[in-house]
Every structure is written in structure tokens, then in C-alpha cells.
Amino acid sequence: WTLTYIDEAKTQIKLTITGNGAMPVLDKGSLPWLEHIASIVEIEVCEGVTEVGYCAFYGMSSVTKVTLPEGLEKINGYAFYNCWALESIAIPSTVESIGVQAFKCGITSAVFATTEGWSVNGIAVPAEDMADSATAAAKLYNDRTYAFTRTAE
């Protein structure tokens, strides 16, 4: 991972996650970027990362932009929990699982590249619900107990 200042005043930081495979499981109190948490406004997860870790970006309340790559398969629980400035997210077509309360944050728009085949606790979610960005965001935000999964078409 790397941190890069994205403004001349050096008050705003972009966090870039690189690597291959799953992010390691991190404790929310010992995130390696914890001392910069208030200044991180952008997160980019790069190609090669297949899984966003549990609580990976927990409490990053200043984050306004997140970029997720094609090839990402899983977003673990609480990954973006309490990221209140984050208003929109694009979910790549390769994501098959979204953990419990992964997006308990400020999102009002969730764009799913693949809208078919999603379910919550084994109950199918209509594709038209997942195709509407506001409805999809509300479903992610209001999920308190169960993960989202997608079956192959």
C-alpha cells in the first residue's frame, strides 16, 4: 500500500492498495494507515487484489472516492463501515460476495456492473432493484445481518 498527497497543501491523501490475492485481515485499531485516517479522501484498490479485507477501511470518514478493480471477487464485512463522506460506489462485475455491513456508510448510489443473481440470506434480490443505483445503495446500507452473494449466471 502507498499514501500519496493529492493536493498542494498536503492535506488530502490517496491510499492505493496493491498486490495479488486477498488483502490481509487487519484489526481496525491497528490499520497501517491509521495515523493518516483523517486525511485519506480517496482509496484505489488495484488490479490483482481479489478480496477487500474485513474492516479494511473502517472509520475512514473523510473518504469521498473509492475505485475497485475488475477481478475483485469479495468485499468483506465492515470494509467501508463509517465512511460517511462516501456517497457512491461502483461494484465490478467480478464481485460475488459483499459482507455484512460492508457499506454501512454515506452511500446513496451503488452501481452494480452485474445486477442479476444477487441474494441476501438466500432470498433473491430482483435485478431491477440492483439496477437502480439508489435502491441498491439503500439495500447495502440497510443490510444489518446478512451478506450479499451472487450466483453465476
Side-chain angles (χ1 to χ4, degrees):
W1 59 273
T2 58
L3 297 173
T4 308
Y5 287 105
I6 58 174
D7 65 332
E8 288 186 32
K10 295 190 175 186
T11 58
Q12 297 182 341
I13 297 174
K14 176 181 178 179
L15 170 61
T16 305
I17 305 296
T18 57
N20 290 304
M23 287 178 67
V25 175
L26 302 167
D27 179 79
K28 64 186 175 194
S30 63
L31 296 171
W33 43 81
L34 190 60
E35 69 182 270
H36 302 284
I37 199 167
S39 299
I40 297 173
V41 297
E42 186 176 335
I43 298 168
E44 179 183 8
V45 179
C46 294
E47 189 175 325
V49 176
T50 58
E51 190 173 318
V52 173
Y54 178 83
C55 292
F57 309 113
Y58 187 103
M60 293 186 155
S61 60
S62 299
V63 170
T64 59
K65 180 180 178 185
V66 171
T67 305
L68 301 174
E70 282 296 321
L72 184 69
E73 299 168 2
K74 183 175 185 177
I75 301 168
N76 279 295
Y78 304 94
F80 297 95
Y81 192 93
N82 283 349
C83 293
W84 295 113
L86 182 62
E87 294 181 358
S88 66
I89 190 73
I91 306 295
S93 65
T94 51
V95 172
E96 297 174 351
S97 175
I98 300 173
V100 174
Q101 295 192 13
F103 291 99
K104 182 70 172 177
C105 60
I107 64 166
T108 56
S109 174
V111 176
F112 281 75
T114 302
T115 59
E116 301 281 336
W118 286 97
S119 64
V120 178
N121 193 30
I123 300 169
V125 178
E128 58 269 15
D129 286 358
M130 299 309 279
D132 179 86
S133 64
T135 301
K139 288 189 176 301
L140 286 176
Y141 179 85
N142 289 319
D143 168 50
R144 296 205 178 3
T145 310
Y146 304 106
F148 281 71
T149 55
R150 185 173 60 83
T151 54
E153 298 174 13

